[in-house]
């Protein structure tokens, strides 16, 4: 997928120094200065927001179309999860004005502590189990928030079509059977609470075989926890298989850690995974329609996603 192109500028560093009351090292923005010399380093990943390590901190620069209100809503979900006792949550730092976002040249900018670690290895059974248990604890903490979260100011990408409303995305992704199923599913859900929204390996950091951080709350939403668990169960099993048996192992670990979603039968698991796949495919095709350039690897991945969307149809 295309990565965010927002550059770390002197204007951003100056705004962060002023609002977060930070004194940057002399070489933080010296051209050619690497991490060892104290220079800023672009971190891997980031399709919407670009993240730069600056010493012990990370400066994230979001897209211009994301409002301050929306970004701070997502940050509030992270803060509530951390307040609920989930120590792996990386929280946004507050400015001297007690905000978590400032705008610089109309980009939302936020600051976070840097955590050393590598992306989770989903081929490692022990790390997969840790991911399931962390999600269970995360959901339990978010269920018990002191007060209800208001609606997200702008719906997240994963909310599109999730309530069974008429699909208005790319025509090749129309599936009235899925729409009817989602409408019925939501009528029967006993609870909804804040969710991370993008719980996958690149947003989980591991150090010394221990899961130490959950990052990137930009896709947070309020919804039934099964929405997130189904997608995560696929992510941390065999993500391209139509055999969902291994995905149920994720639920076992998740439930043992106090997860708030009930175990899903095979049809429900398949349909919720298909919902996620459809939302991701719609985002890809919308990007392409805007003229964003995808690599051949991106295109091949998208074709596999469409094939799985069709192959999991009950």
């Amino acid at each position: 997928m295309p990565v965010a192109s927002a550059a770390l500028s002197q204007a951003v560093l100056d705004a962060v120094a002023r609002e977060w009351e930070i004194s940057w090292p002399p070489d933080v923005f010296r051209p050619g200065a690497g991490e060892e010399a104290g220079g800023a380093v672009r971190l891997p990943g980031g399709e919407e927001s670009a993240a730069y390590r600056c010493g012990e901190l990370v400066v994230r620069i979001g897209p211009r179309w994301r409002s301050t209100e929306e970004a701070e809503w997502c940050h509030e979900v992270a803060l509530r999860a951390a307040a609920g006792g989930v120590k792996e949550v990386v929280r946004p730092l507050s400015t001297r004005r007690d905000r978590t976002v400032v705008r610089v040249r109309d980009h939302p900018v936020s600051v976070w502590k840097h955590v050393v670690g590598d992306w989770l290895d989903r081929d490692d059974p022990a790390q997969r189990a840790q991911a399931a248990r962390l999600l269970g604890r995360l959901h339990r903490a978010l269920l018990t928030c002191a007060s209800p979260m208001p609606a997200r100011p702008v719906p997240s990408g994963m909310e599109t079509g999730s309530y069974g409303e008429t699909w208005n995305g790319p025509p090749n992704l129309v599936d009235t059977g899925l729409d009817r199923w989602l409408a019925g599913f939501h009528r029967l859900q006993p609870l909804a609470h804040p969710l991370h929204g993008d719980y996958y390996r690149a947003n989980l950091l591991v150090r010394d075989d221990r899961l130490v951080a959950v990052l990137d709350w930009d896709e947070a939403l309020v919804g039934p926890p099964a929405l997130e668990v189904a997608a995560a169960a696929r992510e941390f099993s065999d993500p391209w298989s139509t055999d969902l048996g291994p995905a149920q192992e994720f639920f076992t670990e998740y439930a043992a850690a106090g997860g708030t979603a009930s175990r899903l039968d095979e049809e429900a698991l398949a349909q919720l995974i298909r919902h996620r796949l459809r939302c991701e495919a719609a985002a890809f095709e919308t990007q392409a329609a805007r003229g964003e350039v995808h690599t051949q690897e991106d295109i091949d991945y998208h074709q596999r996603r469409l094939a799985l969307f069709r192959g999991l149809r009950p």
Side-chain angles (χ1 to χ4, degrees):
M1 298 289 283
V3 297
S5 59
L8 181 67
S9 64
Q10 190 64 56
V12 169
L13 288 173
D14 289 346
V16 169
R18 180 176 63 254
E19 296 298 329
W20 276 270
E21 299 181 303
I22 293 168
S23 296
W24 294 118
D27 287 333
V28 69
F29 203 57
R30 180 168 61 83
E35 185 175 348
E36 293 182 358
V41 177
R42 171 72 188 262
L43 296 176
E47 295 171 16
E48 293 180 358
S49 298
Y52 295 86
R53 179 180 180 181
C54 302
E56 298 302 311
L57 300 175
V58 172
V59 177
R60 295 187 83 234
I61 307 172
R64 287 190 173 96
W65 49 260
R66 176 163 288 132
S67 69
T68 299
E69 181 184 20
E70 183 183 6
E72 291 197 325
W73 187 95
C74 295
H75 294 172
E76 177 64 18
V77 177
L79 291 168
R80 291 187 181 208
V86 184
K87 64 181 182 303
E88 296 89 346
V89 171
V90 181
R91 298 173 291 179
L93 303 182
S94 296
T95 70
R96 59 193 174 90
R97 305 171 196 269
D98 201 28
R99 306 295 298 271
T100 60
V101 174
V102 298
R103 296 198 82 82
V104 182
R105 295 177 180 170
D106 209 27
H107 284 277
V109 174
S110 56
V111 178
W112 312 69
K113 288 185 178 179
H114 179 258
V115 177
V116 177
D118 298 312
W119 289 358
L120 183 140
D121 180 2
R122 67 182 175 199
D123 293 327
D124 184 320
Q127 292 188 24
R128 292 199 303 267
Q130 288 185 64
R133 293 193 293 269
L134 173 57
L135 186 59
R137 291 189 289 113
L138 194 63
H139 282 182
R140 178 59 55 182
L142 289 170
L143 174 65
T144 56
C145 290
S147 59
M149 286 285 296
R152 179 173 170 139
V154 178
S156 77
M158 292 306 108
E159 291 181 79
T160 304
S162 66
Y163 291 93
E165 61 270 26
T166 301
W167 177 255
N168 61 1
N172 63 314
L173 295 170
V174 169
D175 188 322
T176 56
L178 176 58
D179 296 337
R180 287 194 298 270
W181 186 90
L182 286 167
F185 166 78
H186 278 281
R187 284 196 296 269
L188 298 175
Q189 291 309 293
L191 61 88
H193 60 68
L195 308 172
H196 179 275
D198 198 17
Y199 194 83
Y200 83 118
R201 66 186 185 91
N203 286 333
L204 301 175
L205 298 182
V206 172
R207 184 173 65 248
D208 298 329
D209 294 321
R210 185 170 62 88
L211 207 168
V212 294
V214 54
L215 315 167
D216 191 352
W217 296 80
D218 290 351
E219 294 300 322
L221 70 154
V222 172
L227 278 176
E228 181 150 81
V229 186
R234 177 219 165 210
E235 162 73 17
F236 295 106
S237 57
D238 183 348
W240 298 113
S241 176
T242 56
D243 176 9
L244 299 179
Q248 294 290 5
E249 298 175 8
F250 188 90
F251 270 93
T252 300
E253 296 286 352
Y254 168 86
T260 57
S262 300
R263 186 180 292 271
L264 301 169
D265 61 30
E266 187 166 335
E267 179 185 12
L269 181 56
Q271 291 287 46
L272 290 176
I273 289 173
R274 294 182 72 238
H275 162 67
R276 176 85 187 198
L277 292 169
R278 181 165 69 164
C279 290
E280 291 177 353
F284 179 94
E285 296 191 9
T286 299
Q287 289 172 346
R290 288 199 302 255
E292 295 188 27
V293 178
H294 294 95
T295 66
Q296 187 59 51
E297 183 180 3
D298 295 333
I299 295 169
D300 292 344
Y301 185 97
H302 179 59
Q303 293 303 319
R304 293 187 76 184
R305 182 166 47 207
L306 291 176
L308 186 60
F309 174 70
R310 295 188 292 267
L312 284 174
R313 183 181 289 117

